[in-house]
Amino acid sequence: MVVGDVTTGTDVLVVGAGPAGYVAAIRAGQLDLDVTLVEKDAYGGTCLNYGCIPSKALITATDVAHEASHAEEMGIHADPAVDMAGMIGWKDDVVDQLTGGVEKLCKANGVNLLEGTVTFDDENTARISHSGDGQGSETLEFEHAIVATGSRPIEIPNFSYEDEPVLSSKQALDLDSVPESLVVVGAGYIGMELASVFAKLGTDVTVIEMLDSILPGYDDDLKRPVKQRADDLGIEFEFGYTASEWEDTADGIRVVADPAEDIAADGGAEAEPVESESLELDAEKVLVAVGREPVSDTLDLEAAGVETDDRGFIESDSRARTNVDHIFAVGDVAGEPMLAHKGSAEGQVAAEVIAGEPAAIDHQAMPAVVFTDPEIATIGMTEAEAEEAGFETVVGEFPFRASGRALTTGDSEGFVKIVAEKEDGYVLGAGIVGPEASELIGELGLAIELGATLEDVASTVHAHPTLSESVMEAAENALGHAIHTLNR
Ligand SMILES: Cc1cc2nc3c(=O)[nH]c(=O)nc-3n(C[C@H](O)[C@H](O)[C@H](O)COP(=O)(O)OP(=O)(O)OC[C@H]3O[C@@H](n4cnc5c(N)ncnc54)[C@H](O)[C@@H]3O)c2cc1C
């Protein structure tokens, strides 16, 4: 069937059904706006289909296998066999449940759903091109548009994702067998999370990173336990190199890496001195995880008058508005941090602003989590950032090795660190590395959001034995009266 060139209209056009777009659409529906959500691929976007959810499913599954085979200390002797097809099937079921839920929630909130690719004709008109059965196109007139087209993995020269042994994160999350060996290009959070997944499946993993440490942007003390665990898992690192090309060999591929010309100092202590020779690494596959770029070049944004910066991000203000007043940009396409919850928060704000509410985005209490082993979670300001912003600070720390609950989980590496304003004790930020850091950071987000003080956190009774007691003890430590660790 070919859809004719009919013209319809909507109050709010949302382009892209990732966590930024579908949340914006649902919120707009709740606010009784007439909203149309257009998606060209799959409901839930990168996050649900190829990102957050599948990666976390595989992290959990490989953790189960790894922990079971390393539990002799607890008196458990097991040698689990991994059925990769079964593991991927389970991951796909989780994804299907969530993407199906997104579609149902949209419909239940009165969102009109359309499948197709959006381009702009002008600042109030979009063209929706359909493929497959419904091929053809239609024209949609809109009062407001919310652009939520997300991002895609950056390709580096000579490493095309079209070539079979070269994997993007999306392809790496869908392998039907465990590679014997893998080169990972990039030690950012996606590279490090997937390096751990495959190392735990028994793959020989080597990570190439052009900088001199893992996880650029995170404090050294937070990433030290992650690097240590990666070393323990047998992951090899080659810092100060960039992957330049690959070739087929009789047994697989050979990845060539050249010394990085300019190694930006990241304060990392792990860096080996940079050799001047190129490296040659033999492997079965190579995963390229060097970052993501905005999907803004396929929309004909110029026709709508919407401007992007020199990296292609659509610039938007604290109310998610672009330079064109009635067009909004949210999520990865609107800039860093490229995280699902940041996009969802922006999506809600965009819908509320369109409905006339006084909403605005506050990036101050924006958590960031790396689901490595152990996890890292941060929120608010680091000590250095707080001091740079003119605060006199006090810091409290609590090590998980002093937490009864952490010891009973068999995982007591890492610590909770709280940064607060010295005089009144307002919580300014926190960093956690260790078990369930991703869950524990929520309490500190609430503390910052509510303007809580160290005293508030310390005097909140936390259940025993829980990991969350470590948050309370870190606050007590900053106040000089932690019970289960020595105070400064
Ligand atoms: C491996 C991996 C792991 C990740 N893990 C995490 C994590 O643990 N936590 C976290 O917060 N973030 C994580 N992320 C990042 C997260 O996935 C993104 O930040 C998030 O998906 C961004 O949401 P979005 O809605 O802006 O864009 P997307 O999720 O990319 O969605 C955009 C949607 O727009 C559609 N689209 C694009 N152009 C058009 C068009 N012209 N017409 C119609 N539709 C269009 C796309 O098909 C897509 O579905 C991860 C990413 C990856 C790759």
Side-chain angles (χ1 to χ4, degrees):
M1 185 186 80
V2 175
V3 175
D5 199 0
V6 286
T7 302
T8 47
T10 188
D11 273 358
V12 184
L13 163 66
V14 182
V15 189
Y22 84 72
V23 168
I26 289 175
R27 188 71 189 111
Q30 289 171 347
L31 292 163
D32 287 331
L33 296 164
D34 168 46
V35 53
T36 303
L37 173 62
V38 190
E39 169 56 53
K40 70 178 172 66
D41 177 18
Y43 297 121
T46 303
C47 177
L48 271 60
N49 294 282
Y50 320 115
C52 328
I53 296 300
S55 61
K56 266 78 263 180
L58 292 190
I59 285 169
T60 306
T62 50
D63 276 352
V64 169
H66 183 76
E67 279 166 25
S69 59
H70 290 79
E72 290 87 3
E73 239 183 44
M74 294 178 179
I76 298 167
H77 303 272
D79 184 13
V82 171
D83 154 20
M84 195 61 183
M87 194 178 274
I88 295 291
W90 172 72
K91 179 265 294 179
D92 288 343
D93 281 351
V94 173
V95 168
D96 288 348
Q97 283 177 52
L98 289 167
T99 53
V102 166
E103 191 173 351
K104 279 190 200 128
L105 282 170
C106 285
K107 286 180 178 159
N109 281 286
V111 175
N112 306 307
L113 292 173
L114 285 179
E115 287 170 30
T117 303
V118 172
T119 49
F120 287 98
D121 280 351
D122 62 44
E123 62 174 46
N124 285 101
T125 318
R127 178 161 303 275
I128 303 169
S129 310
H130 306 280
S131 56
D133 278 356
Q135 61 183 286
S137 70
E138 60 187 295
T139 302
L140 190 66
E141 287 176 354
F142 59 85
E143 295 291 318
H144 302 91
I146 301 176
V147 181
T149 46
S151 61
R152 60 183 168 232
I154 293 174
E155 247 181 18
I156 53 174
N158 302 325
F159 289 79
S160 163
Y161 298 128
E162 302 287 313
D163 293 331
E164 203 272 322
V166 180
L167 307 173
S168 67
S169 55
K170 175 180 172 181
Q171 293 152 327
L173 292 165
D174 228 8
L175 291 179
D176 48 18
S177 61
V178 181
E180 271 185 28
S181 49
L182 177 72
V183 169
V184 177
V185 184
Y189 84 93
I190 294 177
M192 287 302 296
E193 288 183 6
L194 292 176
S196 299
V197 162
F198 286 103
K200 286 179 182 175
L201 287 170
T203 303
D204 287 333
V205 179
T206 305
V207 179
I208 302 174
E209 166 58 52
M210 66 182 287
L211 300 177
D212 62 0
S213 77
I214 62 168
L215 300 172
Y218 285 89
D219 280 354
D220 271 355
D221 55 349
L222 291 174
K223 49 194 187 182
R224 199 165 292 121
V226 176
K227 174 68 169 44
Q228 183 58 55
R229 189 73 56 93
D231 290 343
D232 294 347
L233 283 169
I235 299 174
E236 302 277 341
F237 289 90
E238 297 292 351
F239 292 109
Y241 285 94
T242 54
S244 53
E245 57 184 325
W246 65 275
E247 61 191 18
D248 283 314
T249 62
D251 305 325
I253 58 168
R254 179 161 301 147
V255 176
V256 181
D258 294 331
E261 277 167 22
D262 279 316
I263 301 174
D266 184 48
E270 307 95 346
E272 298 293 326
V274 174
E275 306 286 335
S276 52
E277 300 277 301
S278 294
L279 285 177
E280 291 185 347
L281 299 165
D282 288 343
E284 190 179 324
K285 296 199 185 296
V286 54
L287 161 64
V288 179
V290 295
R292 297 181 62 83
E293 59 190 8
V295 177
S296 59
D297 52 349
T298 50
L299 285 160
D300 286 348
L301 283 174
E302 317 74 48
V306 175
E307 288 166 8
T308 56
D309 69 13
D310 52 8
R311 292 172 64 198
F313 289 110
I314 303 176
E315 291 182 81
S316 57
D317 65 14
S318 63
R319 311 196 74 202
R321 282 177 310 206
T322 67
N323 62 304
V324 179
D325 248 15
H326 64 280
I327 301 184
F328 296 70
V330 296
D332 283 7
V333 77
E336 304 278 359
M338 289 199 257
L339 294 169
H341 45 271
K342 188 241 24 170
S344 299
E346 290 175 345
Q348 297 214 35
V349 166
E352 289 169 11
V353 170
I354 291 170
E357 296 195 1
I361 301 153
D362 179 6
H363 280 148
Q364 182 52 42
M366 190 64 71
V369 175
V370 185
F371 289 81
T372 39
D373 181 4
E375 295 176 353
I376 293 179
T378 60
I379 191 146
M381 289 184 244
T382 62
E383 190 179 356
E385 285 165 352
E387 279 166 10
E388 212 170 291
F391 290 102
E392 207 182 328
T393 59
V394 59
V395 172
E397 263 190 47
F398 187 77
F400 283 114
R401 66 172 181 279
S403 152
R405 184 63 184 129
L407 288 168
T408 64
T409 66
D411 189 2
S412 56
E413 206 53 56
F415 57 88
V416 177
K417 180 174 176 179
I418 297 188
V419 181
E421 193 253 323
K422 196 167 187 179
E423 198 175 334
D424 299 310
Y426 290 112
V427 179
L428 299 173
I432 305 177
V433 56
E436 306 293 348
S438 55
E439 299 294 338
L440 295 174
I441 204 71
E443 173 175 354
L444 291 153
L446 189 66
I448 295 174
E449 193 63 41
L450 295 180
T453 62
L454 290 169
E455 196 61 53
D456 293 324
V457 179
S459 60
T460 302
V461 180
H462 287 65
H464 178 73
T466 59
L467 295 169
S468 68
E469 288 171 298
S470 307
V471 173
M472 172 185 73
E473 294 252 15
E476 288 174 342
N477 180 246
L479 294 166
H481 59 77
I483 301 296
H484 295 97
T485 189
L486 294 179
N487 294 294
R488 295 155 182 248

